């Protein structure tokens, strides 16, 4: 479904964010990317839908070369890939409904959408998406009036509006407390299992990785340093852990089952 | 522990200042010759230069004040003596400060040349007092140069009472009564003939004047030049406004009217509580020759001009309201034009939009610089230019306020654009939206609130400014106010001041409320 080969990103200031990263994503996976802050997780996710242009390497989406896609084709690819963010990235002063409808922008005719006019079917879809994340009562509120967990659910509803085949989730729970984290990841798991949407998610906490991932890759200083299955993660050793999180990492026992 | 060691090391680093270049005595002599030089030699260059600058400035200021006080004296000493004689306290004080400062600087240089350490082992700079003395001297100079005179303020205060009272409570001038003209006349024949005119007939409800008798002789001069008084008439009036003044006039056959005088004073009588009066007048001196032997008819007129009609708004009140409305609209129009021009300008002045290339950065800096210059020039000065440009009136004021608004709103808007959160933009882009859709869904909603808030704030400022922009001919209520002040019509000026104050206060409140809703 998604094939990444030798992906390298060097920022204009010389920072090398990704070095020769290659991996593939199979349909229906819940693939989690782990790694320290600054290890290149966000850059990797943003290269996939070209929010960031990679310096080298190829990304293939269903056989189409994303890196070579021109604007119209790129937009067609983007609309199939939903994205949710650590900071939710909602328009805080727009209504919840308007934020959700924005997820449909890649499908609707551009001109009417500029004056917030959407087809009735899309409004219906937005309502269903809000129903799914349990926020129909908040539809008319401004996004900033919602709590963090609610905002992230709006983010999920916005991604749902794209009727995506894959969702990219950039640290979706890093700004939330553990209880909310499980709630949000629960929604993603449901989409993954019930709707068959492939999820590509970066996470910080190992216990969450163990709970939700079907496969894991680890990044360190832009290099892909770890590939493992759900079982591998459960049995992760200190050596592997330090390989990903560096020598200074202190392993907390929380939620970890594998010990050396 | 580690942090503590680090801090100690830093303190140790600070503890070793470079040693002074000279001994204390040498530093003292150096500072005696050139104040501050000793401190510079002690390696305290900033302190030395600051002290040198202070002494030089004080000397220059003192020289200037002396030359103002005694510019005719031939020699410097004579000037100083004269200045001291004219302003002993002030010149003496500054001289004392200067000498004290100099001595202090010398002592300071000597003290700093041998570093004294305090109980914690740090070198003691101290000398806070020396800068207090410098400041004190400057404020003493400032007091004199700006002609502060509190004694005069107190003794002359009564002069301010009248205008102040009128400005503070001007409302007597806000309404006037319509004047009512009441008059009645009686015919008087001179000289008397066999059939004198009949007495006037009284009509109920109308003023009525009866002359008794209805004929007589005018005053005249005899051949020796002595005044022969004319006949005395008894005048009875009824039906006038009660308790108010009635003036008496004489009308000769040609229609010339003049107020009657008796012994050099104008005649006037007071109507009683029922509007009636009775008085005696001597017939006046003949002004027109008349034909000898023929008799002619004169008239005596009793007239009352009383402010007894309906209350109505006075001219200043009406004009003030009219101008106030004009002023508010001036502020609105200037804000509208300001917003229209500021929006495109703000995009050119937003760093995040213009950082693309060398050329756009050049435009960014050019626009920013021009806006800063425009903002630095007060609207009053722009109004002076606009008055020359389009003539006196509100349009000139609108131009002045618009120019200033564009610069100031442009800056505020561009900062709002710079403060935009990139997150939503990225999120909307990721949905496959076009560039235009991204702007409409992610950029515009973020900008509306600050734009509205800044625009209302500017409207508030513009209305406030337009109240004074009239001072230089830019229309609005300021134009009226300055006219009233020049005419010394403090009551009318007071009405204008009240309207300005109330309008500004209301606007302040309203704009704050609206902005609070948006932020």
């Amino acid at each position: 479904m998604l094939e990444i080969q030798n992906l390298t990103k060097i920022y204009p200031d010389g920072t090398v964010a990704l070095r020769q990263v290659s991996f593939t994503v199979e349909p229906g996976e819940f693939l989690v990317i782990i790694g320290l802050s600054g290890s290149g997780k966000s850059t990797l996710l943003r290269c996939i839908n070209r929010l960031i242009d990679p310096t080298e390497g190829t990304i293939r989406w269903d056989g189409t070369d994303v890196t070579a896609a021109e604007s119209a084709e790129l937009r067609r690819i983007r609309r199939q890939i939903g994205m949710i963010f650590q900071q939710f990235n909602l328009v805080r002063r727009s209504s919840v409904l308007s934020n959700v409808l924005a997820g449909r922008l890649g499908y609707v005719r551009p001109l009417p959408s500029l004056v917030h006019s959407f087809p009735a079917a899309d409004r219906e879809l937005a309502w269903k998406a809000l129903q799914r994340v349990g926020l129909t009562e908040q539809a008319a509120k401004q996004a900033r009036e919602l709590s963090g967990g609610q905002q992230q659910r709006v983010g999920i509803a916005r991604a749902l509006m794209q009727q995506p085949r894959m969702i990219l989730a950039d640290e979706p729970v890093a700004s939330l407390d553990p209880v909310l984290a499980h709630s949000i990841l629960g929604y993603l798991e449901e989409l993954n299992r019930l709707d068959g949407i492939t999820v590509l998610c970066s996470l910080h906490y190992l216990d969450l990785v163990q709970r939700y991932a079907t496969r894991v890759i680890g990044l360190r200083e832009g290099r892909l340093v770890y590939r493992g299955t759900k079982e591998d993660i459960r049995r992760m050793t200190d050596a592997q852990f330090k390989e990903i999180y560096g020598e200074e990492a202190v392993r907390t026992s929380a939620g970890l089952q594998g010990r050396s | 522990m580690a942090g503590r060691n680090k801090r100690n090391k830093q303190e140790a680093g600070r503890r070793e200042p470079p040693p002074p270049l000279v001994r204390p005595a040498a530093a003292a002599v150096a500072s005696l010759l050139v104040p501050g030089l000793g401190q510079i030699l002690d390696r305290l260059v900033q302190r030395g230069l600051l002290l040198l600058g202070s002494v030089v400035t004080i000397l220059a200021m003192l020289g200037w004040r002396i030359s103002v006080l005694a510019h005719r004296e031939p020699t410097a000493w004579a000037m100083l003596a004269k200045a001291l004689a004219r302003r002993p306290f002030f010149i003496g004080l500054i001289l004392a400060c200067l000498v004290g400062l100099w001595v202090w600087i010398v002592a300071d240089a000597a003290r700093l040349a041998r570093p004294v350490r305090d109980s914690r082992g740090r070198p003691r700079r101290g000398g806070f007092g020396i800068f207090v003395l410098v400041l004190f001297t400057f404020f003493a100079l400032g007091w004199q140069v700006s002609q502060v005179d509190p004694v005069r303020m107190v003794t002359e205060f009564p002069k301010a009472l009248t205008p102040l009272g009128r400005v503070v409570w001007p409302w007597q001038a806000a309404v006037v009564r319509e004047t009512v003209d009441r008059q009645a006349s009686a015919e008087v024949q001179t000289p008397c003939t066999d059939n004198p005119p009949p007495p006037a007939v009284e009509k109920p409800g109308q003023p009525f004047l009866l002359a008794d008798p209805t004929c007589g002789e005018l005053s005249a001069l005899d051949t020796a030049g002595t005044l022969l008084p004319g006949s005395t008439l008894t005048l009875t009036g009824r039906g006038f406004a009660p308790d108010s003044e009635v003036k008496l006039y004489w009308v000769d056959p040609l229609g010339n009217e003049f107020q009657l005088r008796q012994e050099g004073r104008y005649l006037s009588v007071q109507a009683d509580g029922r509007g009636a009066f009775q008085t005696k007048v001597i017939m006046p001196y003949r002004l027109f020759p008349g034909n000898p032997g023929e008799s002619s008819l004169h008239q005596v007129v009793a007239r009352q001009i009383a402010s007894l009609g309906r209350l109505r708004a006075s001219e200043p009140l009406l004009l003030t309201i009219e101008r106030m409305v004009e002023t508010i609209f001036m502020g609105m129009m200037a804000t509208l034009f300001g917003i229209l021009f500021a929006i495109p300008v703000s995009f050119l002045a937003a760093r995040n939009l213009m950082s693309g290339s060398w050329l756009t950065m050049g435009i960014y800096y050019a626009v920013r610089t021009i806006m800063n210059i425009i903002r630095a020039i007060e609207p009053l000065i722009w109004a002076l230019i606009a008055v020359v440009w389009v003539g006196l009136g509100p349009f000139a004021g609108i131009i002045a306020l618009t120019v200033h608004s564009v610069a100031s709103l442009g800056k505020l808007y561009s900062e709002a654009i710079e403060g935009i959160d990139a997150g939503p933009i990225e999120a909307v882009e990721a949905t496959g939206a076009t560039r235009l859709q991204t702007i409409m869904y992610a950029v515009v909603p973020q900008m509306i609130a600050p734009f509205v808030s800044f625009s209302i704030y500017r409207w508030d400022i513009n209305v406030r400014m337009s109240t004074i922009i009239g001072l230089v001919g830019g229309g609005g209520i300021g134009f009226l106010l300055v006219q009233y002040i020049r005419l010394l019509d403090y009551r009318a000026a007071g009405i204008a001041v009240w309207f300005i104050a109330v309008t500004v206060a209301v606007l302040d409140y309203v704009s704050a409320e609206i902005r609070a809703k948006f932020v």
Side-chain angles (χ1 to χ4, degrees):
Chain A
M1 177 175 223
L2 184 70
E3 219 182 305
I4 290 162
Q5 269 173 0
N6 300 328
L7 195 66
T8 300
K9 172 64 188 177
I10 303 166
Y11 283 106
D13 64 356
T15 317
V16 183
L18 294 174
R19 298 167 206 256
Q20 303 286 326
V21 174
S22 301
F23 64 96
T24 53
V25 183
E26 300 302 329
E29 275 192 302
F30 197 120
L31 176 61
V32 170
I33 307 169
I34 56 173
L36 279 174
S37 314
S39 61
K41 301 190 298 287
S42 293
T43 307
L44 175 59
L45 288 171
R46 281 170 173 72
C47 281
I48 291 172
N49 61 2
R50 289 262 310 276
L51 287 178
I52 294 174
D53 278 321
T55 314
E56 266 176 47
T58 53
I59 301 164
R60 288 191 171 278
W61 169 257
D62 281 345
T64 319
D65 189 354
V66 179
T67 43
E70 291 299 320
S71 57
E73 194 183 2
L74 177 62
R75 285 203 302 276
R76 245 191 326 276
I77 294 168
R78 275 178 176 171
R79 73 185 191 185
Q80 301 174 48
I81 305 175
M83 190 162 188
I84 59 179
F85 303 84
Q86 176 180 356
Q87 298 299 335
F88 324 133
N89 287 2
L90 302 181
V91 182
R92 291 166 53 77
R93 282 178 184 282
S94 293
S95 71
V96 167
L97 186 64
S98 163
N99 268 292
V100 174
L101 279 169
R104 204 66 192 159
L105 288 174
Y107 291 89
V108 297
R109 283 187 298 140
L111 271 182
S113 76
L114 292 184
V115 290
H116 288 246
S117 162
F118 284 88
D122 287 345
R123 296 194 167 269
E124 184 69 16
L125 201 61
W127 200 251
K128 278 186 181 151
L130 279 176
Q131 236 164 18
R132 190 143 187 196
V133 295
L135 286 174
T136 43
E137 281 171 21
Q138 327 284 340
K141 281 191 184 166
Q142 283 194 1
R144 59 179 178 151
E145 293 171 51
L146 269 53
S147 68
Q150 288 175 322
Q151 290 196 30
Q152 192 59 294
R153 277 146 66 193
V154 176
I156 293 173
R158 176 172 64 190
L160 269 179
M161 282 299 283
Q162 295 176 236
Q163 296 178 314
R165 296 175 53 210
M166 182 164 81
I167 286 181
L168 306 175
D170 181 20
E171 305 256 11
V173 297
S175 311
L176 303 172
D177 66 49
V179 178
L180 284 171
H182 276 291
S183 145
I184 294 298
L185 286 171
Y187 279 110
L188 285 182
E189 192 175 41
E190 185 191 307
L191 296 179
N192 178 244
R193 293 205 180 143
L194 292 181
D195 303 49
I197 298 172
T198 311
V199 175
L200 190 50
C201 176
S202 64
L203 283 178
H204 238 104
Y205 300 112
L206 228 56
D207 56 340
L208 294 176
V209 179
Q210 287 169 344
R211 164 73 182 76
Y212 294 100
T214 60
R215 198 155 68 90
V216 179
I217 58 175
L219 283 180
R220 186 181 172 192
E221 288 167 10
R223 283 199 184 81
L224 205 146
V225 294
Y226 180 82
R227 291 166 202 265
T229 60
K230 198 174 174 100
E231 287 68 39
D232 291 336
I233 267 287
R234 285 183 190 280
R235 289 191 302 267
M236 198 177 199
T237 62
D238 261 357
Q240 285 169 322
F241 186 77
K242 282 192 175 165
E243 174 75 15
I244 301 164
Y245 282 99
E247 292 299 323
E248 285 186 20
V250 181
R251 185 168 174 164
T252 61
S253 61
L256 286 181
Q257 293 165 9
R259 279 159 209 240
S260 59
Chain B
M1 267 323 275
R4 202 188 163 87
N5 279 338
K6 213 171 179 181
R7 198 165 342 127
N8 284 348
K9 232 181 274 171
Q10 272 175 359
E11 272 178 13
R14 233 184 294 143
R15 201 183 289 166
E16 298 302 334
L21 289 172
V22 290
R23 290 160 171 284
V29 172
S31 265
L32 186 63
L33 296 175
V34 180
L37 184 59
Q39 279 81 354
I40 293 173
L41 291 175
D42 292 342
R43 291 188 192 263
L44 295 165
V45 179
Q46 266 191 346
R47 189 188 187 100
L49 288 178
L50 195 61
L51 291 172
L52 178 61
S54 305
V55 170
V56 169
T57 315
I58 292 169
L59 269 173
M61 292 286 123
L62 183 63
W64 172 47
R65 291 323 287 177
I66 289 175
S67 70
V68 167
L69 284 169
H71 57 99
R72 290 221 188 81
E73 300 304 311
T75 64
W77 282 115
M79 280 171 85
L80 180 60
K82 174 86 178 291
L84 254 174
R86 286 187 62 186
R87 292 272 188 286
F89 180 73
F90 166 69
I91 299 288
L93 179 70
I94 300 295
L95 276 176
C97 284
L98 194 60
V99 171
L101 189 62
W102 209 308
V103 170
W104 203 332
I105 289 171
V106 169
D108 189 60
R111 184 175 64 83
L112 291 167
R114 48 182 162 81
V116 184
R117 284 155 195 245
D118 66 11
S119 55
R120 276 177 290 178
R122 288 184 313 212
R124 270 170 58 184
R125 283 279 174 78
F128 175 65
I130 208 166
F131 292 101
V132 172
L133 182 58
V134 168
L135 275 182
F136 175 80
T137 316
F138 275 114
F139 278 109
L141 279 164
W143 184 286
Q144 219 271 337
V145 171
S146 55
Q147 304 177 2
V148 177
D149 194 348
V151 175
R152 185 190 175 94
M153 205 174 130
V154 173
T155 55
E156 304 289 289
F157 182 66
K159 281 187 188 170
L161 278 175
T162 313
L164 197 63
R166 287 183 183 167
V167 168
V168 167
W169 198 251
W171 301 113
Q172 296 97 308
V175 286
V176 287
R177 281 182 185 281
E178 284 173 343
T179 55
V180 176
D181 212 355
R182 287 184 182 215
Q183 75 170 36
S185 58
E187 289 187 322
V188 180
Q189 190 186 51
T190 183
C192 282
T193 59
D194 292 341
N195 44 352
V201 183
E202 187 171 3
K203 288 180 194 158
Q206 283 189 6
F208 157 79
L209 185 68
L210 183 72
D212 180 41
T214 57
C215 72
E217 292 294 326
L218 291 164
S219 304
L221 294 175
D222 69 0
T223 44
T226 326
L227 185 75
L228 302 171
S231 319
T232 298
L233 305 173
T234 303
L235 298 176
T236 308
R238 277 195 286 275
F240 286 87
D243 296 318
S244 39
E245 189 188 29
V246 181
K247 285 178 177 165
L248 299 170
Y249 297 80
W250 192 267
V251 184
D252 70 18
L254 289 179
N256 297 317
E257 182 185 289
F258 54 92
Q259 203 174 345
L260 277 172
R261 280 196 283 195
Q262 218 95 67
E263 291 162 0
R265 251 183 286 164
Y266 286 116
L267 260 183
S268 81
V269 288
Q270 192 77 13
D272 65 15
R274 279 168 304 164
F277 65 88
Q278 191 164 55
T279 188
K280 286 185 182 343
V281 298
I282 300 168
M283 287 173 62
Y285 180 72
R286 176 191 294 279
L287 278 177
F288 101 114
N291 297 334
E294 266 181 43
S295 92
S296 51
L297 275 178
H298 295 240
Q299 273 186 319
V300 59
V301 177
R303 185 179 296 147
Q304 213 178 20
I305 298 170
S307 300
L308 288 169
R310 289 182 301 121
L311 278 178
R312 63 175 178 85
S314 69
E315 174 107 345
L317 181 67
L318 290 174
L319 266 176
T320 299
I321 292 170
E322 191 183 307
R323 295 294 139 180
M324 199 68 237
V325 172
E326 181 182 294
T327 304
I328 293 170
F329 279 121
M330 266 172 68
M332 275 177 60
M333 295 315 287
T335 312
L336 174 70
F337 295 141
I339 291 169
L340 290 183
F341 289 110
I343 287 175
V345 168
S346 66
F347 284 96
L348 297 179
R351 184 178 262 277
N352 52 349
L353 299 182
M354 300 300 282
S355 57
S357 74
W358 178 85
L359 177 71
T360 52
M361 268 325 262
I363 296 173
Y364 164 83
Y365 280 116
V367 171
R368 278 265 153 150
T369 310
I370 293 169
M371 286 204 309
N372 284 341
I373 293 170
I374 291 177
R375 258 182 323 116
I377 300 172
E378 282 290 310
L380 270 182
I381 293 159
W382 286 114
L384 283 172
I385 298 166
V387 162
V388 178
W389 184 1
V390 297
L392 292 170
F395 187 48
I398 291 174
I399 289 181
L401 291 171
T402 303
V403 169
H404 202 255
S405 298
V406 170
S408 124
L409 278 178
K411 182 179 152 64
L412 291 172
Y413 288 172
S414 65
E415 273 158 18
I417 296 172
E418 284 171 6
I420 270 185
D421 180 8
I425 298 175
E426 148 179 280
V428 172
E429 256 182 5
T431 66
T434 62
R435 186 116 195 111
L436 209 56
Q437 286 174 322
T438 308
I439 289 174
M440 278 310 290
Y441 278 82
V443 180
V444 170
Q446 290 195 59
M447 294 197 324
I448 284 176
F451 268 46
V452 169
S453 167
F454 290 141
S455 305
I456 288 172
Y457 178 56
R458 189 65 213 181
W459 177 55
D460 177 1
I461 292 179
N462 276 347
V463 173
R464 208 177 321 170
M465 289 258 196
S466 57
T467 58
I468 55 159
I469 213 130
L471 298 182
V472 293
I477 198 166
F479 200 43
L480 193 66
L481 178 61
V482 78
Q483 280 177 29
Y484 285 142
I485 291 173
R486 291 205 180 120
L487 293 171
L488 306 183
D489 189 348
Y490 290 111
R491 286 224 170 85
I495 292 173
V497 168
W498 266 90
F499 267 84
I500 291 173
V502 170
T503 308
V504 168
V506 168
L507 208 71
D508 224 41
Y509 175 76
V510 171
S511 102
E513 283 291 301
I514 299 177
R515 277 185 292 138
K517 288 239 159 58
F518 268 94
V519 176

